Coordinates of all heavy atoms in Angstrom, one line a residue:
N1 N -90.8 31.5 21.1 CA -89.9 30.8 20.2 C -90.1 29.3 20.4 O -90.2 28.8 21.5 CB -88.5 31.2 20.6 CG -88.1 32.6 20.3 OD1 -88.6 33.1 19.3 ND2 -87.3 33.3 21.1
K2 N -90.2 28.7 19.2 CA -90.3 27.2 19.2 C -89.3 26.6 18.3 O -89.0 27.2 17.2 CB -91.7 26.8 18.7 CG -92.8 27.2 19.7 CD -94.2 26.7 19.2 CE -95.3 27.0 20.2 NZ -96.6 26.5 19.7
T3 N -88.7 25.5 18.7 CA -87.8 24.8 17.9 C -88.5 23.6 17.2 O -89.0 22.7 18.0 CB -86.6 24.3 18.7 OG1 -85.9 25.4 19.3 CG2 -85.6 23.5 17.8
Y4 N -88.6 23.6 15.9 CA -89.4 22.6 15.3 C -88.5 21.4 15.0 O -87.3 21.5 14.7 CB -90.0 23.1 14.0 CG -91.1 24.1 14.3 CD1 -90.9 25.5 14.4 CD2 -92.4 23.6 14.6 CE1 -91.9 26.4 14.7 CE2 -93.5 24.5 14.9 CZ -93.2 25.9 14.9 OH -94.2 26.7 15.2
V5 N -89.1 20.2 15.0 CA -88.4 19.0 14.8 C -88.0 18.8 13.4 O -88.7 19.1 12.4 CB -89.4 17.8 15.2 CG1 -88.8 16.5 14.8 CG2 -89.7 17.8 16.7
T6 N -86.7 18.4 13.2 CA -86.2 18.2 11.8 C -85.9 16.7 11.6 O -85.6 16.3 10.5 CB -84.9 18.9 11.6 OG1 -83.9 18.6 12.6 CG2 -85.1 20.4 11.7
E7 N -85.9 15.9 12.7 CA -85.8 14.5 12.6 C -86.5 13.8 13.8 O -86.8 14.4 14.8 CB -84.3 14.1 12.6 CG -83.5 14.4 13.8 CD -82.1 14.0 13.8 OE1 -81.6 13.7 12.7 OE2 -81.4 14.1 14.9
F8 N -86.7 12.5 13.6 CA -87.4 11.7 14.6 C -86.5 10.6 15.1 O -85.6 10.1 14.3 CB -88.7 11.2 14.1 CG -89.8 12.2 13.8 CD1 -89.9 12.7 12.5 CD2 -90.6 12.8 14.8 CE1 -90.9 13.6 12.2 CE2 -91.5 13.7 14.5 CZ -91.7 14.2 13.2
V9 N -86.8 10.1 16.3 CA -86.1 8.9 16.8 C -87.1 7.8 16.9 O -88.2 7.9 17.5 CB -85.5 9.2 18.2 CG1 -84.9 7.9 18.7 CG2 -84.4 10.3 18.1
I10 N -86.9 6.7 16.1 CA -87.8 5.6 16.2 C -87.4 4.7 17.4 O -86.4 4.1 17.4 CB -87.6 4.7 14.9 CG1 -87.9 5.6 13.6 CG2 -88.6 3.6 14.9 CD1 -89.3 6.1 13.5
L11 N -88.3 4.7 18.4 CA -88.0 3.9 19.6 C -88.0 2.4 19.3 O -87.1 1.7 19.8 CB -89.0 4.2 20.6 CG -88.8 3.6 22.0 CD1 -87.5 4.1 22.6 CD2 -90.0 3.9 23.0
G12 N -88.9 1.9 18.5 CA -88.9 0.5 18.1 C -89.0 -0.4 19.3 O -89.8 -0.2 20.2
F13 N -88.0 -1.3 19.4 CA -87.9 -2.2 20.5 C -86.6 -2.0 21.3 O -86.1 -2.9 21.9 CB -87.9 -3.7 19.9 CG -89.1 -4.0 19.1 CD1 -89.1 -3.9 17.7 CD2 -90.3 -4.3 19.7 CE1 -90.3 -4.1 17.0 CE2 -91.5 -4.5 19.0 CZ -91.4 -4.5 17.6
L14 N -86.2 -0.7 21.4 CA -85.0 -0.4 22.1 C -85.2 -0.6 23.6 O -84.2 -0.7 24.4 CB -84.6 1.1 21.9 CG -84.1 1.4 20.5 CD1 -83.7 2.9 20.3 CD2 -82.8 0.5 20.1
T15 N -86.4 -0.6 24.1 CA -86.7 -0.9 25.5 C -86.6 -2.3 25.9 O -86.7 -2.7 27.0 CB -88.2 -0.4 25.8 OG1 -89.1 -1.1 25.0 CG2 -88.3 1.1 25.6
L16 N -86.3 -3.2 24.9 CA -86.1 -4.6 25.1 C -84.7 -5.0 24.5 O -84.7 -5.9 23.6 CB -87.2 -5.4 24.4 CG -88.6 -5.1 24.9 CD1 -89.6 -5.8 23.9 CD2 -88.9 -5.5 26.3
P17 N -83.6 -4.5 25.1 CA -82.3 -4.8 24.5 C -81.9 -6.3 24.6 O -81.2 -6.8 23.7 CB -81.4 -4.0 25.4 CG -82.1 -3.7 26.7 CD -83.6 -3.6 26.3
E18 N -82.5 -7.0 25.5 CA -82.1 -8.4 25.7 C -82.8 -9.2 24.6 O -82.4 -10.4 24.3 CB -82.6 -8.9 27.1 CG -84.1 -9.0 27.3 CD -84.7 -7.7 27.7 OE1 -83.9 -6.7 27.7 OE2 -85.9 -7.6 28.0
L19 N -83.8 -8.7 23.9 CA -84.5 -9.4 22.9 C -84.2 -9.0 21.5 O -84.7 -9.5 20.5 CB -86.0 -9.3 23.1 CG -86.6 -9.9 24.3 CD1 -88.1 -9.6 24.4 CD2 -86.4 -11.4 24.4
K20 N -83.3 -8.0 21.3 CA -83.0 -7.4 20.0 C -82.5 -8.4 19.0 O -82.9 -8.5 17.9 CB -82.0 -6.2 20.1 CG -82.7 -5.0 20.7 CD -81.7 -3.9 20.9 CE -81.1 -3.3 19.6 NZ -80.2 -2.2 19.8
L21 N -81.5 -9.2 19.4 CA -80.9 -10.2 18.5 C -82.0 -11.3 18.1 O -82.1 -11.7 17.0 CB -79.7 -10.9 19.2 CG -79.0 -11.9 18.3 CD1 -78.5 -11.3 17.0 CD2 -77.8 -12.5 19.1
L22 N -82.7 -11.7 19.1 CA -83.8 -12.7 18.8 C -84.8 -12.2 17.9 O -85.2 -12.8 16.9 CB -84.5 -13.2 20.1 CG -85.7 -14.1 20.0 CD1 -85.2 -15.4 19.3 CD2 -86.3 -14.4 21.3
L23 N -85.3 -10.9 18.1 CA -86.2 -10.3 17.2 C -85.7 -10.1 15.8 O -86.4 -10.3 14.8 CB -86.7 -8.9 17.8 CG -87.5 -8.9 19.1 CD1 -87.7 -7.5 19.6 CD2 -88.8 -9.6 18.9
F24 N -84.4 -9.7 15.7 CA -83.8 -9.6 14.4 C -83.8 -10.9 13.6 O -84.2 -10.9 12.5 CB -82.4 -9.1 14.6 CG -81.6 -8.9 13.3 CD1 -81.8 -7.8 12.5 CD2 -80.8 -10.0 12.8 CE1 -81.1 -7.7 11.3 CE2 -80.1 -9.8 11.6 CZ -80.3 -8.7 10.8
V25 N -83.4 -12.0 14.3 CA -83.4 -13.3 13.6 C -84.8 -13.7 13.2 O -85.1 -14.1 12.0 CB -82.8 -14.3 14.5 CG1 -82.9 -15.7 13.9 CG2 -81.3 -14.0 14.8
V26 N -85.8 -13.6 14.1 CA -87.2 -14.0 13.8 C -87.8 -13.2 12.7 O -88.3 -13.8 11.7 CB -88.0 -13.9 15.1 CG1 -89.5 -14.1 14.8 CG2 -87.6 -14.9 16.1
F27 N -87.7 -11.9 12.8 CA -88.3 -11.0 11.7 C -87.5 -11.1 10.4 O -88.2 -10.9 9.4 CB -88.4 -9.6 12.2 CG -89.4 -9.4 13.4 CD1 -89.1 -8.7 14.5 CD2 -90.6 -10.0 13.3 CE1 -90.0 -8.6 15.6 CE2 -91.6 -9.9 14.3 CZ -91.2 -9.2 15.5
S28 N -86.2 -11.3 10.5 CA -85.5 -11.5 9.2 C -86.0 -12.8 8.5 O -86.2 -12.7 7.3 CB -84.0 -11.7 9.5 OG -83.5 -10.5 10.0
C29 N -86.2 -13.8 9.2 CA -86.7 -15.1 8.6 C -88.2 -14.9 8.1 O -88.5 -15.3 7.0 CB -86.7 -16.2 9.7 SG -85.1 -16.7 10.2
L30 N -89.0 -14.2 8.9 CA -90.4 -13.9 8.4 C -90.4 -13.1 7.2 O -91.2 -13.3 6.2 CB -91.2 -13.3 9.5 CG -91.5 -14.2 10.8 CD1 -92.2 -13.4 11.8 CD2 -92.3 -15.4 10.4
Y31 N -89.5 -12.1 7.2 CA -89.5 -11.2 6.0 C -89.0 -11.9 4.8 O -89.6 -11.8 3.7 CB -88.6 -10.0 6.3 CG -88.4 -9.0 5.1 CD1 -89.5 -8.3 4.6 CD2 -87.2 -8.9 4.5 CE1 -89.4 -7.4 3.6 CE2 -87.1 -8.0 3.4 CZ -88.2 -7.3 2.9 OH -88.1 -6.4 1.9
F32 N -88.0 -12.7 4.9 CA -87.5 -13.5 3.8 C -88.5 -14.5 3.3 O -88.7 -14.5 2.0 CB -86.3 -14.4 4.3 CG -85.7 -15.3 3.2 CD1 -85.0 -14.9 2.2 CD2 -86.0 -16.7 3.3 CE1 -84.5 -15.7 1.2 CE2 -85.6 -17.6 2.4 CZ -84.8 -17.1 1.3
L33 N -89.3 -15.1 4.1 CA -90.4 -16.0 3.7 C -91.5 -15.3 3.0 O -92.1 -15.7 2.0 CB -90.9 -16.8 4.9 CG -90.0 -17.8 5.5 CD1 -90.6 -18.4 6.8 CD2 -89.6 -19.0 4.6
T34 N -91.8 -14.1 3.5 CA -92.8 -13.2 2.9 C -92.4 -12.8 1.5 O -93.2 -12.9 0.5 CB -93.1 -12.0 3.7 OG1 -93.5 -12.3 5.0 CG2 -94.1 -11.1 3.1

C-alpha cells in the first residue's frame, strides 16, 4: 500500500526565518522594477 502525494510543501526560505522580512522587501522591490 502506498499513499500518493496530493499536495506539496514549498520549503522556500523557511529555514531562514530571521531573513524573511528582508527577503520579502528586497524581492518585492526587484519584482516591481522588473
Side-chain angles (χ1 to χ4, degrees):
N1 291 324
K2 292 184 179 180
T3 303
Y4 289 94
V5 170
T6 58
E7 64 180 11
F8 296 97
V9 176
I10 304 293
L11 185 62
F13 301 99
L14 291 178
T15 55
L16 302 169
E18 68 281 2
L19 295 179
K20 286 177 67 175
L21 182 58
L22 175 62
L23 291 173
F24 177 82
V25 172
V26 170
F27 292 131
S28 293
C29 293
L30 292 176
Y31 178 65
F32 175 77
L33 293 173
T34 300

